[in-house]
Amino acid sequence: MTDALTGAPEPVWLECAQMLILRGDSEATLAVLDAALAQFPASPEVRLALAGIVFQQGSSERAESLLRGVLDDDPDCVAATFQLARLLKEQGRMHAVASVVRAGFQRERHDADLVIRAVELLDDCGRKREAAALCEHEIAAGSGDPRLHAYAGMLLTQLGQFELARKRQEYVLDHDLAGLEWHVPLGLTGLQRYADGSHPDFARLRRYLLLPDLSDQARASLLFGLGKAHDDIGDYAQATGYLRQANTIVHAATRWPRKRWRRSIEARLSRTLPAEQLAAPMDWTPLFIIGLPRSGTTVLAERLARHPEVCQRGELPWLPVLAEQVITGSGEYRERLQRAAVTYAAQLRQDDSSARWMLDKQPHNFMHVDLILALFPNARFLYCRRHARDNALSLWMQSFQAGTQDFAYDFTDIGAVIHGSRRLMKHWLTRYPDAIRTVEYEQLVADPASLLRSVADWLELPPHDLLSGNADSGSIISTASLWQARQPINARSLRRWKNYAAYVPELLQIPDN
């Protein structure tokens, strides 16, 4: 085939390669593109196409070399920038991703859609500082696109830059009511604890709530925001009214599969994985903070991450995917374990830290304790547990990203998750007592110094002050606790459910423990 193409113009070679790709003939595609590269060695289109094929076949080094060659010739080639960034992301080289994207967008202005793609890529890679900086670069250059301002507001909030975040979010609401769909009301109310109802946010959100033709998503966002604001000032009756409406809206749209959850717990309780276990890594320790959301996981992770030997990666999404590949995939079990360990380690360790303790605070990793210990026998788990009614109320008061905590809008569902998670954790604690330490939320907030010291000792962390001061403005907190976790630890939320018992009788159906 390559002989027949000799002397043909470049578009003909590329068209032939595209036809072979559609047929699924990767070997022939590679042969055609290799020959095309010999004919047109400076062609960015040929090099981009060839990089895609060789990466699919496992030749990541050659793919990277081809893409960097394109960018050496044309630093503003957006296609090469995104393709190289995705390659690096798959390898867990997030610092390199940030460098490539930053270089590709620092010289020329691009349309907002392209910039948002770049921001989303950086955000997905956990490079929130760089993502926020890219938003701010475009805003400083004159961009008035509300989507960029909304993204900037969200990222700046996660970075603790609350004053600038408010400015960005107010811009969105002043220029595009679509911001109500983007959870900007929740963003505004999450920036502080209100002292009284005279704050202008109260009137602003109530005014928006009166707008005609609001979507359910916009209405729920406003209601959750108003519920949070009224809770801050101790108006629990009004807070309950708003929160009940918000939860009803979201619950009707999600319909969390309670039976599937119960089956998944039973499956974990009865599952026995093969006895195969990989060798523990010698130079680093995987650390997992697990438990239900709103049980102290974020506060504990933020404090531990103040230790210079601990690097927090946030809530990584990888373990459910890898668990499925290990348990149901083809090939030898040990080989599947090894592939999963390599993939996860790359995403956890990345390329920007030499810390010895690498922290993943995805709460729902409690579903995979047995698999994690097969992958990393030296892994350690901190199991956060909170008074059930307080935990239930706190979940019900939050609006979570769609598809993450869809059980949190109905107390029967919340109760099922609390019950199932505790059954499973009792099982893991019996099987792996040396690998898991329970951290009671009530102890964490009542005597944080003693608890953090004992946790650090259990982990064998070198001595370090984990308590003094607040989180610096450069730390990243992406959960619903992003404001609270930056404040001094306090016991304000202990037995909080009692403030709502008269208005939310469903709480009394949850065991008082």
Side-chain angles (χ1 to χ4, degrees):
M1 181 176 294
T2 56
D3 291 340
L5 290 170
T6 302
E10 179 186 328
V12 174
W13 287 84
L14 291 169
E15 184 178 344
C16 179
Q18 181 63 35
M19 178 186 67
L20 293 169
I21 290 172
L22 293 174
R23 290 181 183 176
D25 193 340
S26 58
E27 293 298 328
T29 304
L30 179 60
V32 166
L33 289 173
D34 269 329
L37 184 64
Q39 294 284 319
F40 311 101
S43 167
E45 289 80 9
V46 170
R47 286 182 285 175
L48 285 168
L50 182 57
I53 291 297
V54 298
F55 182 64
Q56 288 178 12
Q57 296 189 341
S59 301
S60 57
E61 290 185 7
R62 188 184 180 200
E64 182 175 346
S65 177
L66 287 163
L67 293 168
R68 290 195 182 278
V70 173
L71 290 171
D72 286 342
D73 294 341
D74 179 10
D76 298 311
C77 179
V78 173
T81 295
F82 279 111
Q83 194 169 333
L84 178 56
R86 286 191 290 269
L87 180 155
L88 296 168
K89 177 186 176 185
E90 187 164 320
Q91 297 176 342
R93 296 163 61 189
M94 306 309 186
H95 179 71
V97 170
S99 297
V100 167
V101 174
R102 185 169 57 244
F105 281 80
Q106 69 183 3
R107 282 172 292 272
E108 291 188 359
R109 289 288 307 281
H110 298 279
D111 68 62
D113 288 333
L114 273 179
V115 175
I116 289 171
R117 278 183 59 197
V119 170
E120 289 174 340
L121 176 60
L122 291 168
D123 188 18
D124 287 343
C125 292
R127 310 307 298 194
K128 297 179 184 294
R129 294 185 186 89
E130 291 86 348
L134 180 52
C135 290
E136 290 302 302
H137 173 77
E138 290 296 315
I139 291 171
S143 175
D145 193 301
R147 295 173 300 169
L148 273 174
H149 286 255
Y151 226 127
M154 180 194 74
L155 292 163
L156 292 165
T157 300
Q158 294 174 1
L159 292 168
Q161 299 179 37
F162 298 134
E163 185 174 346
L164 185 55
R166 170 171 286 278
K167 181 178 179 181
R168 298 290 175 249
Q169 291 166 340
E170 289 180 336
Y171 176 94
V172 175
L173 293 179
D174 289 342
H175 289 80
D176 192 342
L177 288 178
L180 301 177
E181 302 275 352
W182 307 335
H183 302 295
V184 173
L186 281 169
L188 275 179
T189 57
L191 293 172
Q192 66 182 79
R193 184 180 301 281
Y194 296 100
D196 58 67
S198 66
H199 193 283
D201 284 353
F202 284 78
R204 179 198 288 266
L205 297 187
R206 285 195 295 266
R207 186 170 65 251
Y208 287 131
L209 198 57
L210 296 175
L211 291 173
D213 302 322
L214 278 177
S215 70
D216 284 347
Q217 183 171 316
R219 187 174 297 280
S221 179
L222 288 163
L223 289 166
F224 271 116
L226 282 164
K228 187 269 181 191
H230 281 273
D231 175 76
D232 281 355
I233 64 174
D235 187 355
Y236 304 121
Q238 189 68 62
T240 300
Y242 287 127
L243 291 167
R244 193 173 291 283
Q245 292 179 66
N247 279 284
T248 298
I249 291 170
V250 181
H251 177 60
T254 54
R255 294 297 180 185
W256 180 71
R258 193 185 311 152
K259 289 183 179 179
R260 187 189 307 167
W261 161 259
R262 288 173 173 157
R263 287 196 297 268
S264 70
I265 293 296
E266 295 301 331
R268 294 299 191 280
L269 290 169
S270 62
R271 181 173 78 185
T272 301
L273 295 179
E276 195 77 46
Q277 193 176 57
L278 301 181
M282 299 297 294
D283 56 343
W284 65 286
T285 301
L287 174 58
F288 298 86
I289 293 182
I290 56 177
L292 288 185
R294 312 299 295 169
S295 64
T297 57
T298 299
V299 172
L300 181 60
E302 192 280 320
R303 296 292 165 161
L304 287 175
R306 298 183 184 194
H307 196 290
E309 287 296 315
V310 176
C311 178
Q312 187 199 160
R313 294 302 186 194
E315 299 181 1
L316 296 181
W318 285 88
L319 278 169
V321 176
L322 295 175
E324 184 70 19
Q325 293 174 359
V326 169
I327 293 168
T328 66
S330 59
E332 293 293 327
Y333 180 73
R334 186 175 184 84
E335 292 177 357
R336 302 201 302 269
L337 279 180
Q338 290 172 334
R339 287 195 298 269
V342 168
T343 298
Y344 179 77
Q347 298 300 321
L348 184 61
R349 300 193 72 187
Q350 301 184 20
D351 58 349
D352 62 349
S353 176
S354 59
R356 182 175 177 86
W357 284 263
M358 307 300 297
L359 171 58
D360 179 347
K361 70 160 296 286
Q362 171 55 255
H364 292 288
N365 282 338
F366 68 79
M367 299 293 288
H368 309 291
V369 169
D370 54 348
L371 176 62
I372 291 169
L373 288 169
L375 297 170
F376 307 104
N378 64 331
R380 291 295 176 264
F381 300 85
L382 296 170
Y383 166 42
C384 291
R385 177 181 160 116
R386 184 179 183 182
H387 185 284
R389 291 179 183 173
D390 278 341
N391 206 160
L393 176 64
S394 189
L395 285 163
W396 187 75
M397 294 179 71
Q398 300 298 320
S399 175
F400 295 95
Q401 182 179 352
T404 55
Q405 321 295 345
D406 288 348
F407 63 88
Y409 308 103
D410 175 83
F411 278 108
T412 303
D413 293 342
I414 293 171
V417 170
I418 292 175
H419 177 69
S421 66
R422 291 190 173 184
R423 284 185 66 207
L424 184 56
M425 283 309 307
K426 182 179 180 181
H427 174 70
W428 295 141
L429 283 161
T430 300
R431 287 182 62 181
Y432 310 113
D434 295 336
I436 307 171
R437 180 185 176 93
T438 301
V439 176
E440 299 287 353
Y441 176 88
E442 291 73 21
Q443 295 177 10
L444 175 61
V445 300
D447 189 1
S450 295
L451 187 137
L452 290 169
R453 184 166 53 252
S454 65
V455 166
D457 289 344
W458 181 75
L459 292 171
E460 299 182 338
L461 280 168
H464 188 78
D465 183 2
L466 303 177
L467 194 60
S468 297
N470 293 333
D472 64 78
S473 61
S475 64
I476 300 169
I477 303 174
S478 305
T479 70
S481 304
L482 53 82
W483 185 85
Q484 297 95 318
R486 295 182 186 278
Q487 313 310 311
I489 296 176
N490 62 78
R492 186 181 295 114
S493 294
L494 288 182
R495 312 296 286 182
R496 184 187 190 191
W497 69 270
K498 291 188 173 182
N499 295 327
Y500 284 87
Y503 312 108
V504 188
E506 299 97 321
L507 286 168
L508 300 178
Q509 304 303 313
I510 295 174
D512 184 19
N513 59 23

